[in-house]
Amino acid sequence: MKPTIYDVAREAGVSIATVSKVINNQQVGKKSKEKVLKAMKELNYKPSILASALTGKPTSTIGFLLPDLANPFVAEVARRVEDRAHERGYNLVICSTDFNPEKEALYISLLRQKSVDGFILAGSFKNVEVLRELLEEHIPVVLLTEFYPSLSVNSVKVDDFIGGYEVASHLISLGHQKIAVIAEEANSSRERIRGYKQALRDHGLDMDDEMIVTSDSSTEDAERLAGELLDRSDPPTAIFACNDLLAISVFLAARERKLSIPDDLSVAGYDNTLLSRSTDPPLTTVAQPIQEMCSQAVDFLIEEIEGKSKIKQRIVMSPQLMIRKSTGVCRLEK
Amino acid sequence: MKPTIYDVAREAGVSIATVSKVINNQQVGKKSKEKVLKAMKELNYKPSILASALTGKPTSTIGFLLPDLANPFVAEVARRVEDRAHERGYNLVICSTDFNPEKEALYISLLRQKSVDGFILAGSFKNVEVLRELLEEHIPVVLLTEFYPSLSVNSVKVDDFIGGYEVASHLISLGHQKIAVIAEEANSSRERIRGYKQALRDHGLDMDDEMIVTSDSSTEDAERLAGELLDRSDPPTAIFACNDLLAISVFLAARERKLSIPDDLSVAGYDNTLLSRSTDPPLTTVAQPIQEMCSQAVDFLIEEIEGKSKIKQRIVMSPQLMIRKSTGVCRLEK
DNA sequence: TATATGAAAGAAAGCGCTTTACATTTTCTT
DNA sequence: AAGAAAATGTAAAGCGCTTTCTTTCATATA
């Protein structure tokens, strides 16, 4: 059997209370402390976090919900969040929600039963009801990569509006007039589109909602949509994909149609994942300061958990346009 | 405050024992059962998994250690394992070990304090000491993607030897004689190399250990190594990268040197991640039946946890060579 | 009708830890 | 050296649940 605090107490010849105190670094006489420490070593004793959590102590565990680990951007976010959490002495329980509000509710409920100390909700968290509930019950939460303007909740994200604006401006400056967008069903995409529209407006270009298509989150669907875009009688000369994964689908659709990038078609992505380095030509995309965002989100959450801060904050970081070779001067201009 | 079993009991007018019984689907009179169920709804009662775990019940939580989420193959494995685990009613606590034996030991110890029911160790788990300990204490463990021939432990993997053999044979059949390998520090790579060597031997080709280089797991290092390979006075005409990530690095190094793939250099990867579709030309690689492996691993673990099976099993699945455009006839033959 | 039988419900102990309130020892004053 | 103050240690209750052991009670049996 695993040793318990009783075993240690017996071995050390003190009471369990004393053992508890040395575990928690409380005032204990030097001699007793030594005896206890020695006993703990000898028995290879490790306190049960369960038992201590039952008495009200936090579990040092964070629930982390994300839409889908298969997206490299999300995977990297997970990686960074995990790193920071471990640095700060917390564990992460990860759940993929697949953009599904019921799963979101389910996992949150489950994790609460397991007494996680707080939640980080990454990507597009859809179930506002559940989120509101968490806030009402003062469960520590931070939103990563997204805001809910109507709710007071700690959030960290990158300015998607600006990102979209910059991509579109870049494309426009290359002479493109017909710029399509392929998005996913998420707030971040909506913001990027807002930025894109603003850029068009600022440059006096026509807006055409037909040019904006939304994919469910599968690769096949995205490729199909991209293909449809390219097969139009009046196809776009540039496509802004709201993430790199979507951009790959555009590449694939273009390749199938023997379109050369960037000569026949300019493509821009978003997220600066390793995918954007692997394509040929390398993908113009938007970099987000992933590590900073993630560290910040974890730190926010831990502050809230440890009760150090009562005020809610929102941090918006700046994206950075990475111009590579997948975008070029519009062929119609040449 | 969150409602406890006492609140429910009071509300329903029964004892807590009765409530506990309905929670656990034990023999309870119909009338009491209804009253309890009703009370639970009304109070929105959710049992504390902590408290129940303290009495010896399992926590329905699996510890999942993997080397690095940033590798898309690993991310997909994580995704599948998570899916299957959730299907079976288990949660996953994920920890990235960075190929670091101390981290491995640390996380295992931590997770044991949190009373996870068992472990899935994916990728290359290095700390044999710790693994042995787990086995001795009869903690359920399954190895995913790797074997320890000397230890009796449930394992699921793909036959890396065959994978390596097939890649090399494919390359050889294209006329390549100087085939370099770029590997990572892991057993799976070692097996793939074994397969590669066997293929060379079977075809009567010379073996040259100089042609095999091992990268730490960073992209930069891999790119540097690939470059060194290509800059040799007698460079290889083909490179077998032990995973797709490494293959990308080879692509990058080749692109930098204006080498055309596959005309000047054939490149093969391993894992069939989405990276292999995004490159140009698309990457020849080896597909692993990720979903089946992961489901199987989870199922093994759960069987062991639930005590349904006492015997240890090893499953080896077959890899599949995916020939795409990054490998071609050796230029020296043309 | 009296008794045996089994199902249903409850009392209470225990899981491993924290914490409060109290008892004991040590240390310091004067 | 006596008494007060500070430091140290302990007993015991409680966290929310499971489980064993009884007790209670309705039903079947003779």
Side-chain angles (χ1 to χ4, degrees):
Chain A
M1 263 325 273
K2 278 185 70 174
T4 75
I5 198 172
Y6 287 93
D7 301 319
V8 176
R10 189 175 337 105
E11 180 81 13
V14 300
S15 76
I16 61 165
T18 304
V19 177
S20 175
K21 281 180 186 156
V22 355
I23 293 171
N24 297 290
N25 282 312
Q26 305 190 28
Q27 189 80 256
V28 174
K30 206 174 168 207
K31 290 193 83 167
S32 311
K33 184 161 180 175
E34 265 173 19
K35 284 190 294 180
V36 170
L37 254 18
K38 178 152 166 285
M40 298 204 308
K41 292 282 100 79
E42 274 175 9
L43 299 175
N44 187 28
Y45 167 76
K46 297 277 190 313
S48 152
I49 294 186
L50 252 55
S52 78
L54 192 55
T55 71
K57 279 182 72 169
T59 56
S60 299
T61 306
I62 294 173
F64 183 44
L65 300 210
L66 42 73
D68 178 15
L69 267 181
N71 179 329
F73 174 71
V74 176
E76 182 158 359
V77 166
R79 180 62 164 98
R80 295 301 172 192
V81 168
E82 206 224 328
D83 270 359
R84 183 60 180 164
H86 281 146
E87 271 177 41
R88 305 274 322 246
Y90 282 74
N91 278 127
L92 222 55
V93 184
I94 297 185
C95 298
S96 294
T97 63
D98 279 320
F99 300 92
N100 177 341
E102 275 112 58
K103 281 199 182 179
E104 292 172 354
L106 175 68
Y107 292 145
I108 295 251
S109 165
L110 223 60
L111 295 181
R112 290 188 60 187
Q113 286 189 52
K114 294 196 174 164
S115 302
V116 302
D117 297 337
F119 291 93
I120 294 180
L121 310 179
S124 86
F125 190 83
K126 313 207 159 178
N127 201 321
V128 196
E129 278 321 299
V130 169
L131 176 54
R132 197 183 310 266
E133 235 175 71
L134 289 176
L135 294 174
E136 270 166 17
E137 305 190 34
H138 300 99
I139 314 265
V141 182
V142 2
L143 260 32
L144 182 51
T145 270
E146 185 133 40
F147 279 9
Y148 273 100
S150 59
L151 294 176
S152 168
V153 43
N154 279 323
S155 327
V156 181
K157 67 174 289 201
V158 162
D159 195 323
D160 289 310
F161 178 86
I162 291 190
Y165 189 93
E166 291 201 348
V167 169
S169 300
H170 166 64
L171 258 12
I172 292 168
S173 76
L174 292 170
H176 294 278
Q177 309 242 18
K178 279 177 306 196
I179 306 172
V181 177
I182 178 160
E184 63 179 356
E185 185 55 56
N187 282 338
S188 55
S189 280
R190 276 184 278 280
E191 279 299 292
R192 290 167 198 175
I193 291 174
R194 274 214 313 126
Y196 151 89
K197 287 185 172 173
Q198 184 65 46
L200 293 195
R201 211 174 293 126
D202 287 358
H203 291 84
L205 291 180
D206 280 347
M207 212 109 65
D208 179 2
D209 278 342
E210 297 272 302
M211 291 296 251
I212 302 177
V213 298
T214 301
S215 143
D216 66 24
S217 304
S218 73
T219 322
E220 301 73 31
D221 188 56
E223 198 172 335
R224 187 181 54 73
L225 285 173
E228 286 176 13
L229 236 28
L230 296 175
D231 291 339
R232 291 189 184 170
S233 56
D234 185 24
T237 61
I239 299 185
F240 167 29
C242 282
N243 66 48
D244 287 352
L245 219 47
L246 293 170
I248 300 298
S249 298
V250 175
F251 265 68
L252 260 27
R255 191 188 289 165
E256 205 170 288
R257 288 165 180 73
K258 313 280 188 212
L259 293 174
S260 145
I261 296 172
D263 296 334
D264 302 322
L265 178 72
S266 285
V267 181
Y270 207 108
D271 288 344
N272 192 33
T273 60
L274 80 179
L275 286 172
S276 57
R277 293 232 305 156
S278 73
T279 56
D280 188 20
L283 186 65
T284 292
T285 190
V286 177
Q288 310 195 40
I290 299 192
Q291 189 157 0
E292 291 77 8
M293 280 172 53
C294 294
S295 289
Q296 189 57 255
V298 172
D299 289 349
F300 269 178
L301 187 68
I302 294 180
E303 265 181 33
E304 209 180 331
I305 289 172
E306 300 181 348
K308 292 192 183 132
S309 135
K310 292 277 81 178
I311 58 164
K312 308 289 185 181
Q313 308 185 53
R314 292 182 186 182
I315 291 204
V316 185
M317 302 187 171
S318 294
Q320 190 187 354
L321 182 64
M322 312 286 287
I323 298 178
R324 294 205 264 248
K325 304 290 184 191
S326 68
T327 47
V329 174
C330 178
R331 68 174 184 279
L332 303 178
E333 296 231 327
K334 287 180 184 169
Chain B
M1 261 328 269
K2 279 186 70 174
T4 74
I5 200 172
Y6 287 93
D7 300 319
V8 176
R10 189 174 338 105
E11 180 80 12
V14 299
S15 75
I16 60 164
T18 305
V19 177
S20 174
K21 281 175 188 157
V22 353
I23 293 172
N24 297 290
N25 281 313
Q26 306 191 26
Q27 191 80 255
V28 175
K30 207 177 168 206
K31 291 195 80 169
S32 310
K33 183 163 182 175
E34 266 174 16
K35 286 191 294 182
V36 170
L37 254 18
K38 180 154 165 285
M40 297 203 309
K41 292 282 100 77
E42 274 174 11
L43 298 176
N44 187 27
Y45 168 75
K46 299 277 191 314
S48 152
I49 294 185
L50 253 57
S52 77
L54 191 54
T55 72
K57 279 182 70 170
T59 54
S60 299
T61 306
I62 295 173
F64 183 45
L65 299 212
L66 42 72
D68 179 14
L69 267 179
N71 179 330
F73 174 71
V74 176
E76 182 157 359
V77 166
R79 180 64 166 96
R80 296 301 172 191
V81 168
E82 206 223 330
D83 270 0
R84 183 61 180 164
H86 281 145
E87 270 176 42
R88 303 276 322 248
Y90 282 74
N91 278 129
L92 223 55
V93 184
I94 298 184
C95 298
S96 295
T97 63
D98 279 321
F99 301 91
N100 177 340
E102 275 113 57
K103 280 199 182 183
E104 293 172 353
L106 175 68
Y107 292 145
I108 295 251
S109 164
L110 223 59
L111 295 181
R112 289 188 62 186
Q113 287 189 52
K114 294 197 173 163
S115 302
V116 302
D117 298 336
F119 292 93
I120 294 180
L121 310 180
S124 87
F125 190 83
K126 314 207 159 177
N127 201 321
V128 197
E129 279 319 300
V130 169
L131 176 55
R132 198 185 309 266
E133 234 175 70
L134 289 176
L135 294 174
E136 270 166 16
E137 306 190 32
H138 299 99
I139 313 266
V141 183
V142 1
L143 259 35
L144 181 52
T145 270
E146 185 134 42
F147 280 9
Y148 272 99
S150 59
L151 294 176
S152 167
V153 42
N154 279 321
S155 327
V156 181
K157 67 174 289 202
V158 162
D159 195 322
D160 288 310
F161 177 85
I162 291 193
Y165 190 92
E166 291 202 347
V167 169
S169 299
H170 166 66
L171 257 13
I172 293 168
S173 75
L174 290 170
H176 293 279
Q177 310 241 18
K178 278 177 307 198
I179 305 172
V181 178
I182 178 162
E184 62 179 356
E185 185 54 56
N187 281 337
S188 55
S189 279
R190 276 184 279 278
E191 278 299 292
R192 290 168 198 175
I193 292 174
R194 273 215 313 127
Y196 150 92
K197 287 186 173 173
Q198 184 66 45
L200 293 195
R201 211 173 293 125
D202 288 357
H203 291 84
L205 290 181
D206 280 350
M207 212 106 65
D208 179 1
D209 278 343
E210 296 272 301
M211 290 297 249
I212 301 177
V213 298
T214 302
S215 144
D216 66 23
S217 302
S218 73
T219 322
E220 301 72 34
D221 186 56
E223 198 172 334
R224 186 180 55 75
L225 286 173
E228 288 177 11
L229 237 28
L230 297 174
D231 292 340
R232 292 187 183 172
S233 55
D234 184 24
T237 62
I239 298 185
F240 168 27
C242 282
N243 67 46
D244 286 352
L245 219 47
L246 293 170
I248 299 298
S249 297
V250 176
F251 264 69
L252 261 26
R255 192 187 289 165
E256 205 170 287
R257 287 164 181 73
K258 312 280 187 214
L259 294 173
S260 146
I261 297 173
D263 295 334
D264 301 322
L265 178 72
S266 286
V267 181
Y270 208 109
D271 289 343
N272 192 35
T273 60
L274 78 180
L275 286 172
S276 58
R277 294 232 305 154
S278 72
T279 55
D280 189 20
L283 186 65
T284 292
T285 189
V286 177
Q288 310 195 40
I290 299 191
Q291 189 158 1
E292 291 76 7
M293 278 171 56
C294 295
S295 290
Q296 189 57 254
V298 172
D299 290 347
F300 269 179
L301 187 68
I302 294 181
E303 266 181 34
E304 207 179 332
I305 289 172
E306 299 180 351
K308 292 190 182 129
S309 136
K310 292 278 78 177
I311 58 164
K312 307 289 185 183
Q313 308 185 53
R314 291 182 187 182
I315 290 203
V316 185
M317 302 186 172
S318 293
Q320 191 188 355
L321 182 64
M322 313 286 288
I323 299 178
R324 294 204 268 249
K325 304 292 184 190
S326 68
T327 49
V329 175
C330 177
R331 67 172 185 280
L332 303 178
E333 295 231 326
K334 286 181 184 169

